[in-house]
Amino acid sequence: MLPRLLRIFSGNLNVCSRFQHVDVFNRRLSITATRKAAKLIDGKALANDIKSEVKRDIEAWMAQGNRRPKLTAVLVGDDPASQTYIKNKVKATEATGIASETIRLPPTVSQQELLKQIQCLNDDSGVDGILVQLPVPAHISERAVCNAILPQKDVDGFHVVNVGRFCTDLKSMLPATPAGVMEIIKRTGIETFGKNAVVCGRSKNVGLPLAVLLHADGIGETNAMDATTTICHRYTPPEQLRVFVKTADILVVAAGIPNLITADMVKEGVAVIDVGINRIKDEKTGKFKLVGDVHFEGVREKASYITPVPGGVGPMTVAMLMKNTLLAAQKSIKYDF
C-alpha cells in the first residue's frame, strides 16, 4: 500500500512540475512576444519646441524696448561640413527672430588676423553672440580662438571661464550639444537621480561636459542630473567597455566610431542618447549614409528610449545655440571676475 501511495504522490509531483514548467515557459514567451521596441526620441520636434520658446521670448524682449539679439558666425576655410553647419544655424536664427551675420575668412588667414577679427566682434555692442565654427585650420590654435571670445558672448560655451563655471556648478553658457542632451533627458522624462550613467567619449566640448552635468548636484545652478557617472574613451579596453556599458541606465555615446555600441552590450530598458554622426558607405546600395555610434536597429529592441541619427541630438544642438544667444543678449548670466 505504501509503495503505491508513494508512486501516486510521485506521479502528482511530476504532473505539477510539468504544469509549472509549461506555465513559466508560457510566461516567458508572453514577455518576449510583447516586448516593445524603444520609444524613438524625436529631436526635431523637441528642437522646434525650443525654437518656438526662444522666438516667443525674443518677441517679449523686444516688446520691452530692447533690440533684436544678434549672432555672428565666423567661418574659416571652405570645409563642406562646416558650411552645412553654418547654413543650419543661420536657418535657425531666421526661425527664431535672431539677426545673424556670417564672416567668411580664407583658410590661409593667420591666427593673429583671426584673433583681431574676434576682438572687433567683442568690442561691437551690437553683437550678442559670437561663434567660430570648428575645426579651424591646423596652423591656428583652437584653444586660443575659443579663449579670445568674451565669455559673455561665447554662445558655444568653450571659453575656459564658462567651462570652469559649469564644472563648479555655476550658471554659464553651456556647450550647445551637452545642453541639448540635457534637454532631451529632461523633456523626455528620463529618470537620472541615483541612476547609473555611462558616457562614451571624453572630448572637451561634448564628453567631458556631459559627464559633469550628468553627475553634478541637482540643487546647484546648473540643475544637473545627480547620476553616478562613468566615462569611457578610446583607451578603455573593449572587454571593460562592455562591462561599464552593461551597467548603464542612461547611455550617452559620443565617440565618433560607427556602430560602436551593439545590442549585446546594453541591458534591457536603457535610455540611449547617440551623439555620434558618421558618414559611411552602405554595402547594399553603394551610397553614403549617416549613422551614429550606436547600432540603431539592434539596440532599439532592448532600449526604453533611443535617439536616431540623423534627427536626434543634431537639431537640439542648433536649438540650444539659439537659446544661448538670447541669454547673451539678456545678459542673464552674471560674470564676477
Side-chain angles (χ1 to χ4, degrees), residues 5 22 68 76 117 120 160 164 174 195 211 239 242 272 306 327:
L5 287 173
V22 171
R68 187 179 301 279
V76 181
Q117 179 65 72
C120 289
V160 289
L174 293 177
K195 299 294 185 178
E239 65 276 10
R242 286 178 170 273
V272 180
I306 192 169
L327 290 174

Side-chain angles (χ1 to χ4, degrees), residues 32-331:
T32 303
T34 59
R35 175 71 175 90
K36 294 181 179 179
K39 180 177 180 181
L40 193 66
I41 299 173
D42 189 341
K44 291 182 179 178
L46 292 176
N48 286 336
D49 289 344
I50 292 171
K51 287 186 287 186
S52 295
E53 293 164 9
V54 170
K55 182 179 181 180
R56 178 200 64 206
D57 292 345
I58 286 175
E59 290 171 352
W61 171 252
M62 294 179 65
Q64 297 172 7
N66 299 294
R67 62 169 175 78
R68 187 179 301 279
K70 182 178 179 180
L71 171 65
T72 297
V74 180
L75 177 61
V76 181
D78 51 8
D79 177 70
S82 292
Q83 292 189 43
T84 299
Y85 293 144
I86 290 292
K87 181 180 178 181
N88 290 338
K89 291 167 184 176
V90 170
K91 187 177 179 181
T93 62
E94 294 170 353
T96 54
I98 294 172
S100 69
E101 174 189 22
T102 301
I103 297 173
R104 300 177 185 274
L105 300 174
T108 56
V109 68
S110 70
Q111 178 170 307
Q112 185 178 2
E113 290 171 321
L114 177 56
L115 295 181
K116 184 178 180 180
Q117 179 65 72
I118 292 171
Q119 188 56 51
C120 289
L121 296 174
N122 284 339
D123 295 337
D124 187 343
S125 61
V127 174
D128 300 296
I130 304 169
L131 72 87
V132 177
Q133 183 63 47
L134 302 178
V136 290
H139 67 278
I140 297 174
S141 166
E142 183 178 300
R143 178 45 53 200
V145 169
C146 293
N147 287 342
I149 301 170
L150 280 176
Q152 298 92 324
K153 296 188 177 188
D154 171 35
V155 291
D156 265 334
F158 295 161
H159 192 288
V160 289
V161 168
N162 281 318
V163 174
R165 285 180 65 88
F166 74 70
C167 281
T168 52
D169 214 9
L170 295 174
K171 189 174 182 180
S172 69
M173 291 287 188
L174 293 177
T177 297
V181 171
M182 294 301 105
E183 282 296 312
I184 286 173
I185 291 172
K186 291 175 182 177
R187 291 175 185 245
T188 307
I190 296 169
E191 181 60 54
T192 61
F193 187 89
K195 299 294 185 178
N196 289 332
V198 174
V199 178
C200 296
R202 60 176 179 181
S203 71
K204 301 300 181 286
N205 298 339
V206 180
L208 173 62
L210 278 170
V212 170
L213 294 168
L214 280 165
H215 97 272
D217 198 327
I219 64 173
E221 292 182 9
T222 58
N223 297 313
M225 298 291 184
D226 285 304
T228 300
T229 305
T230 302
I231 303 177
C232 300
H233 51 76
R234 72 178 68 184
Y235 297 123
T236 304
E239 65 276 10
Q240 287 302 306
L241 177 64
R242 286 178 170 273
V243 170
F244 292 129
V245 168
K246 201 75 171 182
T247 69
D249 300 304
I250 303 106
L251 176 63
V252 184
V253 192
I257 302 174
N259 300 318
L260 172 67
I261 305 299
T262 53
D264 60 309
M265 298 172 69
V266 302
K267 69 180 182 182
E268 294 278 352
V270 62
V272 180
I273 312 294
D274 191 350
V275 184
I277 183 162
N278 310 282
R279 188 170 179 264
I280 66 170
K281 191 172 185 178
D282 191 315
E283 294 180 357
K284 294 181 179 179
T285 65
K287 297 180 180 179
F288 285 94
K289 64 178 182 179
L290 295 178
V291 300
D293 292 352
V294 174
H295 187 272
F296 181 80
E297 294 302 329
V299 173
R300 74 178 302 188
E301 296 300 320
K302 295 180 72 175
S304 57
Y305 294 91
I306 192 169
T307 58
V309 177
V313 175
M316 290 295 289
T317 297
V318 177
M320 296 310 294
L321 185 66
M322 300 303 107
K323 191 169 184 177
N324 277 354
T325 302
L326 176 58
L327 290 174
Q330 294 174 329
K331 295 179 172 55

